[in-house]
Amino acid sequence: MPPSPAPSPSPSASSPPAPPAPYGTGGPDPLRWPDVVALPRASRARTALAERLVRRALSRLPLRARLAGGESVGLGGPLMEIHDPVAFFRRIGASGLIGFGESYMAGEWESPDLVGVLTVFASHAAELVPKPLQRLRGLWALHRPPEQANTPEGAGANISHHYDLSNELFATFLDETLTYSAAVFRGFPAEQALLPAAQHRKIDRLLDMADVGPGTRLLEIGTGWGELAVRAAERGARVVTVTLSREQRELARARVRDAGFESRVDIRLLDYRRITGEYDAIVSVEMIEAVGEEYWPVYFRTLDERLAPGGRIVLQAITMRDERLRASRATYTWIQKYIFPGGLLPSADAIERTATAHTRLRTEQRIRFGMHYAETLRLWRERFTARTAEVDALGFDATFRRMWTFYLAYSEAGFRSGYLDVQQILLTRGAGIPGSPEGSLR
């Protein structure tokens, strides 16, 4: 999912998380949440500098930050309550945006309109850090731990960190299709009851773009919980779908079996780099975000090598603007630490550059629909919030719930601000000119 709206000005490192302990109820578990329970080390000078820079940024934003004691900063707008300013500024001084998120997880700041506050930050991402400090980003920004690299071995651990949390957890906020990607609605505001149809509308458009029909040999990279594979099998396609999540594979197999398509759908626990065979169509939904920039060439070469002559590839990708990708690509973010280790969102330009430089693939069509993702995330967040008791019953603690709420709100804000977009991209071999034509579904 989305990256940080912008790193906060901080030049220190945060200690890596300890190996996960079982989730529990009650207060934060210091083994599971070491950097939430304990304040980070930060010098007085660094903390003071962070406070000065953050106050300067807040004073110019259309929000109202109210600090303990009654002081308010900002131009007015959604309210941000900073209950513990000392801890808040210290965390940001030590680890920037990671500290900003950890401060929320610790309950040191709150908002009755969390999405509104985060949307303001995302909308002004390029302005939060002074230009001189932006040019020195390489000196102060945290960098991704080497163990998060998406090697064939590391990719499995990164995927498991998120997708193997619990099938039951995802079922608390996803709709009955168990589709964990942007839906396509007929109109806004979106409604919970219409989410399954909107997810099928999204899937059907992907399959239509890939020209999937009777007899199509379809490769899906990233199984999810099997809804797209079932939908393709209903059209008469023969599907090979690969995943690195054991939890997803087991439930997807059960769903395919229940739908009566075991003979048409082959679900494999397999890295995309190890796929063999030739396919008439390849579909991959919001999986490129987990590939990692250093492996983008390998990913696109795999697509090219597996595609039969005359075949079509359709990707659904969360994207950011190219200038933001270039500015933040090396920065270690809260999302990477807590939600998607090893993740990096591409830009549409980066997809074009990589495909052109390393394959025969060219973009034939792009459809953008970022606001549909904002609405999808809103529905997920509202459903998750309404099912607190069910989440607790699964053994997830209050800190996890704050983390997950922040993740969903943070992601929604990215799309509402335009910092992020989501696109369906049609690639064919040697056809079309990169970047044209481009469609837009608002």
Side-chain angles (χ1 to χ4, degrees), residues 288 293 295-301 346-359 361-362:
I288 190 174
E293 183 177 12
Y295 295 103
W296 288 345
V298 177
Y299 176 76
F300 281 99
R301 281 198 296 268
S347 65
D349 290 342
I351 290 173
E352 301 283 6
R353 287 194 299 267
T354 307
T356 298
H358 297 278
T359 74
L361 302 174
R362 298 296 179 265

Side-chain angles (χ1 to χ4, degrees), residues 6 56-57 60-61 123-131 134 324:
R56 173 184 177 273
R60 302 179 179 188
L61 293 177
S123 299
H124 296 81
E127 312 155 25
L128 295 178
V129 180
K131 295 277 186 208
Q134 289 185 29
R324 296 311 305 160

Side-chain angles (χ1 to χ4, degrees), residues 218-292:
L218 172 64
L219 170 64
E220 181 189 21
I221 302 179
T223 304
W225 285 276
E227 190 71 14
L228 187 146
V230 168
R231 202 81 171 165
E234 289 174 344
R235 294 185 175 210
R238 296 194 171 274
V239 184
V240 171
T241 178
V242 301
T243 180
L244 290 177
S245 168
R246 295 180 183 276
E247 289 274 327
Q248 285 190 327
R249 181 186 63 166
E250 293 311 306
L251 183 51
R253 280 180 167 176
R255 298 180 78 224
V256 166
R257 181 176 61 251
D258 291 346
F261 291 118
E262 280 184 293
S263 64
R264 289 190 176 275
V265 178
D266 180 6
I267 304 175
R268 303 176 185 176
L269 194 68
L270 188 68
D271 189 280
Y272 70 89
R273 287 163 281 213
R274 298 192 173 115
I275 299 169
T276 58
E278 186 177 74
Y279 302 88
D280 305 310
I282 303 174
V283 174
S284 188
V285 181
E286 296 178 25
M287 184 272 177
I288 190 174
E289 301 85 347
V291 169

Side-chain angles (χ1 to χ4, degrees), residues 403-415:
M403 178 191 76
W404 205 259
T405 298
F406 189 79
Y407 150 59
L408 293 173
Y410 184 87
S411 302
E412 182 182 344
F415 290 101

Side-chain angles (χ1 to χ4, degrees), residues 124-144:
H124 296 81
E127 312 155 25
L128 295 178
V129 180
K131 295 277 186 208
L133 274 181
Q134 289 185 29
R135 289 192 287 270
L136 297 173
R137 181 190 292 269
L139 299 178
W140 57 260
L142 303 181
H143 296 285
R144 184 187 67 186

